[in-house]
Amino acid sequence: MNSSPLYPVQNQARAAVSLDGLWRFQFDPKGEGTAAGWPGGLPAPISMPVPASFSEFFTTHEERDYVGDFWYETEFFLPENFPEKVYLRFGSVTHRAVIYCNGVEVARHEGGFLPILADVTDAANRGRRNKLVVQANNELSESTLPCGTQKEMPDGRKISKPYFDLFNYSGIQRSVWLVGTPKDAITDYSLQYELDGADALVRYTVEGGGDRPVQVFLVDAEGNTVARGEGKAGTLRVEDAHLWQVRNAYLYRLVIEAGEGYDLYEEKVGIRTVKIDGHHILINGKPVYLKGYGKHEDADIIGRGFSWAVAKRDFECMKWTGANCFRTSHYPYAEEWYQMADEEGFLIIDEVPAVGMMRSTRNFAAAGTGQYTYFFETPTVPQLLENHKQQVSEMIARDKNHPSVIAWSLFNEPETTSEYARRYFSKVFAFARTLDPQNRPLTGAFEKNSAPDKCRCYDLCDMICLNRYYGWYISGGPEIDEAEQKFRAEMDKWAAKKLDVPFVFTEFGTDTLATEHKLPSVMWSQEYQDEYLSMNFGVFDSYDFVQGELVWNFADFQTTEGIMRVNGNKKGVFTRQRQPKDAAFVFKHRWEALPEQYKGN
């Protein structure tokens, strides 16, 4: 059960108690907490909301930009009648954590965007309050995901130097649960789908449950059981199946029972198939054109902390523009985002936090310059590879049953022009292909240096995702006509390869201030953003193998400070407060006019 990816549920066999709220918190800049006994309790804590990013609350540079060890503490009451096995489940702790219950280490985890499950059955006391302490650390290195480094200042404190263009938000940024299950609990399940005329075949496997008989039920939206199976593996035939469709979701309820009510797990699922056929992306056998956004988990006050309110607003804004898809750039999001996408019929390209695989603290500017930093030629590569594979494994295990997830993105903008990179990513892709029961497409986002005549990795992908900024980082402003010529010249080279796979633009955009208007346009004005988009749309529409456009970015977001960033990245179609810029109306006009099966013939 220690590795079970299942989301907590509450029913007659299981307990799930939220531990979200106001915790206690303390910085540990010298890393002395463990030796000083902090696993048993913090000596001088302050209050700290969970879930949230700690940086957003402070008013000094030293606290906002803190790098190093930091600690959280709270208490929980464990009832006498709680189920036999007791776990603590963290949606994530960024970027690594050691978990203590009553002073006893119960788990440690590397990676800041996937769940941690700690078995506290023996460490926690029933009928009493128990102390929970978390030691966390947010330092970056070239063997961590995401990648980066830090710099030591003259006063001894460290500041983050990420190789990526987003703020290094850290903390307990997702919900924490106290979970109770039977001893021989159901630990996981997997689904595969096949359409058979109007019917659907749902193949399932169930893990856990001990030696007890397992039953699986599929219940429709009206509460009727439409299919039933016995055993830990089998096939359910669903007659006249309601399919989960793009922007028209239909969800069944999957119920798994071990023994006569010994354990019970249920979750909403959607019947749909995903396939690449030539340069088309097929959902339920029909082509779909991807329209949407690169996003971030990023908002005022909470930073990267999950909020249902922010998620609701984001989905309403995306729906208003006619979008149908987003990429979880550049890390797996909180599970609740996927649950909401399942409900709304949105498509997700799910991305592992493999960002920053280029030695540049301004990688957005380095893209396209031909810069080569020997990233995959260093002694840290074997450790990085193991971290990479582990987080791919955890991401697919957690998200594999969401109908919204249609592809796995295994990197964002790494160096891909050397044989070293080829060997590295060949191993990542080969490993990933062994993990997903539904065999979803594998991809990754390539930056401009990964040109068609230089990239050594594009053929590993089932669909090719391009991040391109012709007209912004390349030939911007008065040179925009030249930018279009360069853009089309590159696309002609891709076309000449006759790859017969879908291409999706996973990033394109301009920094734009919501207050700036200028006639004629200048860079950073809303008028220029609109002109830039018009140029890009013309290029996209000229190539039938371009099967999607995900603009960068949904909303303005926080980054490391710099002379090219005005309090963050301003490429949002919406402001950080989720209000539309002029570009939002441009996308609404375009996307509402484009059919879901655009270029589908």
Side-chain angles (χ1 to χ4, degrees):
M1 180 68 180
N2 275 4
S3 60
S4 173
L6 297 181
Y7 191 81
V9 300
Q10 176 94 14
N11 56 36
Q12 58 265 43
R14 292 174 170 242
V17 179
S18 173
L19 299 184
D20 293 356
L22 202 61
W23 289 38
R24 295 177 290 278
F25 177 90
Q26 190 165 349
F27 290 122
D28 182 13
K30 296 183 179 179
E32 300 171 334
T34 303
W38 292 16
L42 304 184
I46 61 173
S47 62
M48 182 62 63
V50 169
S53 304
F54 68 74
S55 294
E56 281 288 303
F57 302 115
F58 293 110
T59 57
T60 70
H61 292 286
E62 291 76 13
E63 294 165 309
R64 182 196 64 192
D65 300 326
Y66 177 83
V67 173
D69 286 354
F70 51 96
W71 296 68
Y72 286 81
E73 173 189 286
T74 193
E75 294 180 346
F76 64 90
F77 180 80
L78 181 61
E80 291 280 4
N81 62 349
F82 212 67
E84 184 174 0
K85 296 293 290 184
V86 185
Y87 301 90
L88 293 166
R89 189 184 192 274
F90 295 77
S92 70
V93 182
T94 310
H95 291 286
R96 59 198 57 83
V98 183
I99 315 298
Y100 299 91
C101 180
N102 296 325
V104 177
E105 181 181 326
V106 291
R108 58 176 58 218
H109 184 262
E110 172 68 35
F113 303 98
L114 290 159
I116 307 170
L117 195 69
D119 187 340
V120 296
T121 306
D122 296 331
N125 300 309
R126 292 177 182 265
R128 293 172 53 187
R129 298 191 69 81
N130 296 269
K131 182 161 289 189
L132 167 59
V133 175
V134 179
Q135 178 192 15
N137 178 278
N138 65 348
E139 294 179 72
L140 304 172
S141 76
E142 293 186 357
S143 63
T144 66
L145 296 180
C147 301
T149 185
Q150 41 269 328
K151 176 181 179 179
E152 185 169 322
M153 303 300 288
D155 61 2
R157 68 185 179 95
K158 291 176 282 190
I159 59 172
S160 182
K161 289 290 187 178
Y163 297 166
F164 47 85
D165 188 35
L166 55 136
F167 193 81
N168 188 34
Y169 279 123
S170 311
I172 301 178
Q173 302 184 126
R174 298 175 187 166
S175 288
V176 184
W177 297 85
L178 178 66
V179 176
T181 72
K183 180 179 179 182
D184 296 320
I186 297 158
T187 58
D188 199 7
Y189 73 93
S190 299
L191 301 176
Q192 296 172 280
Y193 303 107
E194 179 183 342
L195 303 184
D196 184 17
D199 299 348
L201 303 178
V202 182
R203 297 184 177 87
Y204 69 86
T205 58
V206 177
E207 298 178 23
D211 296 327
R212 293 168 179 79
V214 169
Q215 296 187 83
V216 177
F217 307 87
L218 200 64
V219 181
D220 67 15
E222 286 72 45
N224 305 306
T225 298
V226 298
R228 174 178 173 178
E230 295 187 355
K232 291 188 176 183
T235 301
L236 307 176
R237 175 172 284 273
V238 184
E239 297 181 353
D240 294 319
H242 294 279
L243 300 184
W244 186 93
Q245 306 275 15
V246 181
R247 292 296 307 275
N248 184 22
Y250 186 96
L251 295 175
Y252 290 89
R253 184 161 51 93
L254 183 76
V255 181
I256 306 171
E257 183 177 22
E260 294 293 328
Y262 174 78
D263 191 20
L264 192 69
Y265 189 81
E266 56 186 278
E267 193 164 50
K268 292 180 179 180
V269 299
I271 297 174
R272 62 94 189 91
T273 61
V274 180
K275 184 181 178 182
I276 298 294
D277 182 16
H279 57 244
H280 292 129
I281 303 165
L282 304 183
I283 305 297
N284 301 324
K286 298 179 180 179
V288 60
Y289 186 82
L290 304 185
K291 304 175 292 185
Y293 297 95
K295 287 185 91 284
H296 270 302
E297 289 183 299
D298 179 283
D300 284 338
I301 309 301
I302 58 174
R304 218 171 300 292
F306 177 75
S307 162
W308 277 112
V310 171
K312 175 64 175 175
R313 175 66 178 180
D314 282 10
F315 272 99
E316 291 303 311
C317 289
M318 289 191 290
K319 289 191 295 183
W320 176 77
T321 59
N324 63 18
C325 181
F326 63 89
R327 175 174 62 131
T328 68
S329 41
H330 299 300
Y331 39 82
Y333 289 2
E335 291 143 292
E336 293 83 358
W337 283 100
Y338 303 76
Q339 295 167 6
M340 205 160 185
D342 293 345
E343 297 275 356
E344 297 284 1
F346 265 74
L347 306 174
I348 293 177
I349 298 174
D350 203 2
E351 189 160 275
V352 76
V355 59
M357 293 179 162
M358 174 195 294
R359 289 193 185 92
S360 173
T361 56
R362 296 168 64 193
N363 62 338
F364 52 90
T369 64
Q371 177 180 351
Y372 183 70
T373 68
Y374 304 90
F375 185 87
F376 292 103
E377 301 177 35
T378 60
T380 58
V381 167
Q383 185 179 351
L384 176 67
L385 178 62
E386 290 309 305
N387 279 337
H388 200 156
K389 291 165 65 176
Q390 179 64 32
Q391 293 189 50
V392 168
S393 175
E394 291 180 18
M395 176 181 70
I396 294 177
R398 191 195 71 169
D399 298 337
K400 65 182 180 295
N401 294 315
H402 287 287
S404 54
V405 175
I406 63 163
W408 310 109
S409 177
L410 303 187
F411 57 73
N412 180 76
E413 298 189 350
E415 290 185 332
T416 64
T417 57
S418 71
E419 184 59 30
Y420 297 96
R422 172 78 187 190
R423 288 200 296 264
Y424 179 94
F425 285 111
S426 294
K427 295 173 183 176
V428 174
F429 274 73
F431 176 70
R433 292 194 189 281
T434 68
L435 301 176
D436 180 14
Q438 296 183 20
N439 296 314
R440 292 172 182 85
L442 301 182
T443 189
F446 295 92
E447 50 91 13
K448 178 61 175 67
N449 286 334
S450 300
D453 54 347
K454 294 181 180 180
C455 181
R456 304 292 300 275
C457 299
Y458 66 83
D459 62 313
L460 298 173
C461 298
D462 299 309
M463 62 182 192
I464 295 175
C465 294
L466 300 180
N467 297 352
R468 292 296 184 268
Y469 291 94
Y470 290 101
W472 187 248
Y473 297 120
I474 299 171
S475 300
E479 302 173 13
I480 193 168
D481 291 342
E482 180 185 67
E484 181 174 358
Q485 294 173 6
K486 291 179 178 179
F487 198 174
R488 289 182 180 275
E490 181 188 343
M491 295 307 295
D492 289 343
K493 289 181 180 179
W494 284 115
K497 289 184 173 292
K498 301 185 184 302
L499 298 176
D500 199 26
V501 298
F503 278 63
V504 175
F505 282 92
T506 38
E507 290 187 26
F508 62 101
T510 72
D511 284 274
T512 306
L513 295 179
T515 56
E516 281 303 303
H517 291 275
K518 189 77 180 243
L519 188 65
S521 71
V522 294
M523 297 173 77
W524 290 82
S525 70
Q526 298 206 60
E527 289 74 19
Y528 184 76
Q529 187 177 36
D530 294 350
E531 293 170 13
Y532 167 95
L533 293 174
S534 178
M535 182 272 284
N536 276 259
F537 295 154
V539 175
F540 301 162
D541 293 342
S542 299
Y543 299 87
D544 61 357
F545 56 84
V546 174
Q547 292 290 309
E549 52 193 66
L550 306 185
V551 64
W552 192 255
N553 188 284
F554 168 74
D556 295 345
F557 60 92
Q558 194 60 255
T559 66
T560 302
E561 296 178 62
I563 59 172
M564 294 182 69
R565 293 288 172 254
V566 184
N567 189 25
N569 189 305
K570 292 296 188 290
K571 291 190 180 67
V573 172
F574 293 84
T575 67
R576 201 180 189 210
Q577 293 71 39
R578 276 52 179 181
Q579 297 302 326
K581 299 179 186 177
D582 286 1
F585 298 90
V586 172
F587 280 107
K588 180 177 177 63
H589 177 77
R590 174 174 170 83
W591 287 345
E592 287 184 341
L594 287 183
E596 297 290 355
Q597 296 182 27
Y598 178 54
K599 301 186 185 179
N601 295 328

